[in-house]
Coordinates of all heavy atoms in Angstrom, one line a residue:
L73 N -4.3 -15.6 -16.7 CA -4.5 -15.3 -18.1 C -4.9 -16.6 -18.9 O -4.3 -17.7 -18.6 CB -3.4 -14.7 -18.8 CG -3.0 -13.2 -18.4 CD1 -1.9 -12.7 -19.2 CD2 -4.2 -12.3 -18.5
Y81 N 0.9 -12.0 -25.9 CA 2.2 -11.4 -25.3 C 3.4 -12.1 -25.8 O 4.4 -11.4 -26.1 CB 2.1 -11.4 -23.8 CG 1.1 -10.4 -23.1 CD1 -0.1 -10.7 -22.6 CD2 1.5 -9.1 -23.2 CE1 -0.9 -9.8 -22.0 CE2 0.7 -8.1 -22.6 CZ -0.5 -8.5 -22.1 OH -1.3 -7.5 -21.5
G104 N 13.1 2.9 -15.0 CA 12.3 2.4 -16.0 C 11.2 3.3 -16.4 O 10.3 3.0 -17.2
R123 N -5.4 23.9 -3.6 CA -6.8 23.8 -4.1 C -7.8 23.6 -3.0 O -8.8 24.2 -2.8 CB -7.0 22.9 -5.2 CG -6.3 23.2 -6.4 CD -6.9 22.4 -7.6 NE -6.6 21.0 -7.4 CZ -5.4 20.4 -7.8 NH1 -4.5 21.1 -8.4 NH2 -5.3 19.1 -7.6
M140 N -20.1 27.9 14.0 CA -21.3 27.0 14.1 C -21.2 26.0 13.1 O -22.1 25.0 13.1 CB -22.6 27.9 14.0 CG -22.8 28.9 15.1 SD -24.4 29.7 14.9 CE -24.0 30.9 13.5
F144 N -16.3 17.0 10.3 CA -16.3 15.6 10.5 C -14.9 15.1 10.4 O -14.2 15.2 9.4 CB -17.2 14.8 9.6 CG -18.7 15.2 9.8 CD1 -19.2 16.1 9.1 CD2 -19.4 14.4 10.7 CE1 -20.6 16.5 9.2 CE2 -20.8 14.7 10.9 CZ -21.3 15.7 10.1
Q200 N 0.6 -9.5 14.2 CA 0.5 -9.8 15.6 C 1.6 -8.9 16.4 O 1.2 -8.4 17.4 CB 0.8 -11.3 15.9 CG 0.6 -11.7 17.3 CD -0.8 -11.5 17.8 OE1 -1.8 -12.1 17.3 NE2 -1.1 -10.6 18.9
I202 N 2.8 -5.9 15.4 CA 2.3 -4.5 15.4 C 1.2 -4.4 16.4 O 1.1 -3.4 17.2 CB 1.8 -4.1 14.0 CG1 3.0 -4.2 13.0 CG2 1.2 -2.8 14.0 CD1 4.1 -3.2 13.4
S203 N 0.3 -5.4 16.5 CA -0.8 -5.3 17.5 C -0.2 -5.2 18.9 O -0.8 -4.4 19.6 CB -1.7 -6.5 17.3 OG -2.7 -6.5 18.2
I209 N -5.4 -4.8 19.1 CA -6.6 -5.4 18.5 C -6.2 -6.7 18.0 O -5.2 -7.0 17.3 CB -7.2 -4.5 17.4 CG1 -7.6 -3.1 17.9 CG2 -8.3 -5.2 16.7 CD1 -8.0 -2.2 16.8
K223 N -23.0 -2.4 6.1 CA -23.6 -1.7 7.3 C -22.6 -0.6 7.8 O -23.0 0.5 8.1 CB -23.8 -2.7 8.4 CG -24.3 -2.1 9.7 CD -24.6 -3.1 10.8 CE -25.3 -2.5 12.1 NZ -24.5 -1.4 12.6
G265 N -19.2 -4.0 -2.2 CA -19.8 -3.8 -3.6 C -20.6 -2.6 -3.7 O -21.6 -2.5 -4.5
I273 N -10.3 13.0 1.1 CA -10.0 13.3 2.5 C -9.2 14.6 2.5 O -8.2 14.7 1.9 CB -9.3 12.1 3.2 CG1 -10.1 10.8 3.1 CG2 -9.0 12.5 4.6 CD1 -11.3 10.8 3.7
E275 N -7.1 17.6 4.7 CA -6.1 17.5 5.7 C -6.5 18.5 6.9 O -6.9 19.6 6.7 CB -4.8 18.0 5.2 CG -4.2 17.0 4.2 CD -2.9 17.4 3.6 OE1 -2.4 18.5 3.9 OE2 -2.2 16.6 2.9
S289 N -7.7 37.9 7.3 CA -6.9 37.4 6.3 C -5.5 38.0 6.2 O -4.6 37.5 5.6 CB -7.6 37.5 4.9 OG -7.8 38.8 4.6
L297 N 4.2 23.0 10.1 CA 5.0 22.4 11.1 C 4.5 22.7 12.5 O 4.4 21.8 13.4 CB 6.5 22.7 11.0 CG 7.2 22.1 9.9 CD1 8.7 22.6 9.8 CD2 7.3 20.6 9.9
A330 N -9.6 8.1 19.9 CA -8.7 9.0 20.5 C -8.1 9.9 19.5 O -8.0 11.1 19.8 CB -7.6 8.2 21.3
Y335 N -8.0 15.6 17.6 CA -8.1 16.7 16.6 C -9.0 17.8 17.1 O -8.7 19.0 17.0 CB -8.8 16.1 15.3 CG -8.0 15.1 14.5 CD1 -8.6 14.3 13.5 CD2 -6.6 15.0 14.6 CE1 -7.9 13.4 12.8 CE2 -5.9 14.1 13.9 CZ -6.6 13.3 13.0 OH -5.9 12.3 12.2
V338 N -7.4 19.9 20.0 CA -6.4 20.8 19.6 C -7.0 22.0 18.9 O -6.5 23.2 19.1 CB -5.4 20.1 18.5 CG1 -4.5 21.1 17.8 CG2 -4.6 19.0 19.2
S340 N -10.0 23.3 19.5 CA -10.6 24.0 20.6 C -9.5 24.8 21.3 O -9.7 26.0 21.7 CB -11.2 23.1 21.6 OG -12.3 22.3 21.0
C342 N -6.5 25.8 20.4 CA -5.8 26.8 19.6 C -6.7 27.9 19.0 O -6.2 29.0 18.8 CB -5.0 26.1 18.4 SG -3.8 24.9 19.0
I349 N -14.8 32.0 22.1 CA -15.7 31.0 22.5 C -15.2 30.4 23.9 O -14.0 30.0 24.0 CB -15.8 29.9 21.5 CG1 -16.5 30.5 20.2 CG2 -16.6 28.7 22.0 CD1 -16.3 29.5 19.0
H355 N -15.4 20.6 24.7 CA -14.2 21.1 23.9 C -12.9 20.4 24.4 O -12.1 20.2 23.5 CB -14.1 22.6 24.2 CG -15.1 23.5 23.5 ND1 -16.3 23.8 24.2 CD2 -15.3 24.0 22.2 CE1 -17.1 24.5 23.3 NE2 -16.4 24.7 22.2
Q358 N -12.0 17.0 31.0 CA -11.9 17.6 32.3 C -10.8 17.0 33.0 O -10.6 15.7 33.1 CB -13.2 17.4 33.0 CG -14.4 18.1 32.2 CD -14.3 19.6 32.1 OE1 -14.3 20.3 33.1 NE2 -14.1 20.1 30.9
P363 N -10.3 22.1 32.2 CA -9.6 21.7 30.9 C -8.2 21.4 31.3 O -7.5 22.1 32.0 CB -9.8 22.8 30.0 CG -11.1 23.5 30.5 CD -11.0 23.4 31.9
R368 N 1.4 23.9 30.4 CA 2.5 24.8 30.8 C 2.8 25.7 29.6 O 2.6 25.3 28.5 CB 3.7 24.0 31.3 CG 4.2 23.0 30.3 CD 5.3 22.2 30.9 NE 5.8 21.2 29.9 CZ 5.3 20.0 29.8 NH1 4.2 19.6 30.6 NH2 5.7 19.0 29.0
Q375 N 12.2 23.3 18.9 CA 13.3 22.5 19.2 C 12.7 21.0 18.8 O 11.6 20.7 19.1 CB 13.5 22.4 20.7 CG 14.0 23.8 21.3 CD 14.1 23.7 22.8 OE1 13.9 22.7 23.4 NE2 14.5 24.8 23.4
A387 N 6.7 27.8 20.1 CA 6.3 28.6 21.2 C 4.8 28.8 21.3 O 4.2 29.2 20.3 CB 7.1 29.9 21.2
G388 N 4.3 28.6 22.5 CA 2.9 29.0 22.7 C 2.0 28.4 21.7 O 2.2 27.4 21.0

Side-chain angles (χ1 to χ4, degrees):
L73 292 183
Y81 282 106
R123 287 195 300 272
M140 294 183 284
F144 295 90
Q200 186 65 61
I202 297 297
S203 173
I209 296 173
K223 181 180 184 303
I273 303 299
E275 294 177 355
S289 58
L297 287 177
Y335 294 162
V338 170
S340 297
C342 295
I349 296 170
H355 290 91
Q358 301 296 294
R368 56 186 178 271
Q375 299 173 5

